[in-house]
Amino acid sequence: MAAAAASTPQGVTERRGIPAASFVEDVESYLRQARLDVNSGLAFLQERLQQYKIVEMKLLAQQRDLQAKIPDIEKCLDIVASLQVKKALGEALTADFELSEGIYSRAKIEDTDSVCLWLGANIMLEYSCDEANALLKKNLENAKASLEVLVADLQFSRDQQTITQVTIARVFNWDVHQRRSKQATKET
Amino acid sequence: MQQGDGTEAQVTWEDQQNINRFGRLNNRLHELYDEIKLAKETNENLDDAGNELILSDEDVVRFQIGEVFAHMPRDDVETKLEQMKEDAAKRLERLEEEKESILAQMAELKKILYGKFKDAINLEED
């Protein structure tokens, strides 16, 4: 599934909605086949580049969200684990927590069998410690898996950007070369 | 690629893949720089915490778990802190190793790409 280097060009034509940039073997035949003059060709490629950049921005935002979510879930797992440890010892857990900004209060948590988990959208559900562990672990796995897919998407998108940038440079250089040779033949 | 004089070497699919690979490595390298910075800070914080613990003489320490501070006996806190320090040190070592590996791979690719394209390509950090 990861967008590894294809063995032939166009081995991968798109990835999850992101079109692959076609690799140009020869600039002259590319422009002829697309029936584009140099300026239109460059404009088309620049537009493609902008589109890839937009996709990259979107993916980066999603990546930031996921990267913030994962430590949160891990903290929750920590707390549930501590509660279970205390329960096993038969002791109460005393904790200081923030009541409001700068104001802390003390809580004594005795013999807990259940915890409440915030599910988002103003919903909080009560679970037994074991159920909570299972749910949190599943959420953590999902988040990590999503992050992996996202990172692969980002790499793919950046590769297509690089290909497009290189193609732009090659079209430009080919044009310079053409002009110079035309100039040379004119002078002789 | 820089503006060439129009007579530079042709870019093959293999060259393109090398360029792509270099780009990916460079991106990962920058991510690593940030991650290493954070990991070093975490290590420092844990060391500071350890020192504070030694200086304080309370039997019950408020240890942060998530968003709350749980009351824990001093010995438990010491053990936990040692474990956290070990994990953090290992993580930092792993990150540094990855960084070295990436720098080596980038150096290899630079040799190949500069070898073929010489002036027509710029692979330096601007």
Side-chain angles (χ1 to χ4, degrees), chain A residues 6 8 14 21 24 26 30 43 46 54 78 94-95 97 102 128 130 158:
Chain A
T8 58
E14 66 101 54
V24 165
D26 175 55
Y30 166 72
Q46 287 284 14
I54 293 176
D78 257 347
T94 318
F97 63 98
S128 76
D130 290 327
R158 286 185 176 140

Side-chain angles (χ1 to χ4, degrees), chain B residues 2-124:
Chain B
Q2 287 167 308
Q3 300 176 18
D5 57 358
T7 56
E8 74 282 356
Q10 271 294 71
V11 178
T12 64
W13 176 236
E14 195 188 325
D15 296 325
Q16 181 67 69
Q17 286 179 298
N18 279 338
I19 296 174
N20 287 353
R21 204 171 304 140
F22 187 85
R24 282 195 196 196
L25 289 172
N26 194 30
N27 286 333
R28 180 64 192 143
L29 186 66
H30 285 277
E31 279 176 18
L32 272 176
Y33 283 149
D34 289 338
E35 283 182 45
I36 287 177
K37 195 168 124 207
L38 279 175
K40 284 194 173 145
E41 274 174 30
T42 306
N43 271 333
E44 275 176 32
N45 288 341
L46 288 172
D47 282 338
D48 288 346
N51 292 338
E52 282 296 325
L53 192 61
I54 296 175
L55 290 174
S56 88
D57 54 3
E58 294 170 36
D59 287 323
V60 171
V61 182
R62 288 162 197 63
F63 186 85
Q64 182 177 23
I65 307 180
E67 307 290 324
V68 305
F69 296 89
H71 291 207
M72 273 172 72
R74 190 206 175 89
D75 293 331
D76 287 359
V77 174
E78 267 177 32
T79 322
K80 241 192 150 174
L81 206 56
E82 279 311 308
Q83 184 61 47
M84 285 170 78
K85 277 204 250 185
E86 216 183 288
D87 293 340
K90 276 202 208 121
R91 176 151 196 271
L92 185 61
E93 200 185 318
R94 250 188 316 121
L95 289 173
E96 296 276 8
E97 274 172 24
E98 194 185 342
K99 186 184 86 168
E100 292 307 314
S101 157
I102 288 189
L103 285 171
Q105 289 178 60
M106 282 171 76
E108 263 310 300
L109 281 171
K110 271 192 186 179
K111 250 196 287 175
I112 297 174
L113 289 169
Y114 279 140
K116 176 157 184 198
F117 294 110
K118 304 192 190 35
D119 273 346
I121 195 168
N122 176 21
L123 299 168
E124 306 307 316

Side-chain angles (χ1 to χ4, degrees), chain A residues 3-44:
Chain A
S7 50
T8 58
Q10 275 74 59
V12 179
T13 49
E14 66 101 54
R15 183 194 156 89
R16 298 193 351 130
I18 311 170
S22 18
F23 177 71
V24 165
E25 297 285 350
D26 175 55
V27 174
E28 186 161 359
S29 30
Y30 166 72
L31 288 174
R32 207 179 323 126
Q33 270 173 3
R35 279 192 276 260
L36 289 168
D37 66 300
V38 171
N39 287 332
S40 317
L42 284 175
F44 168 73

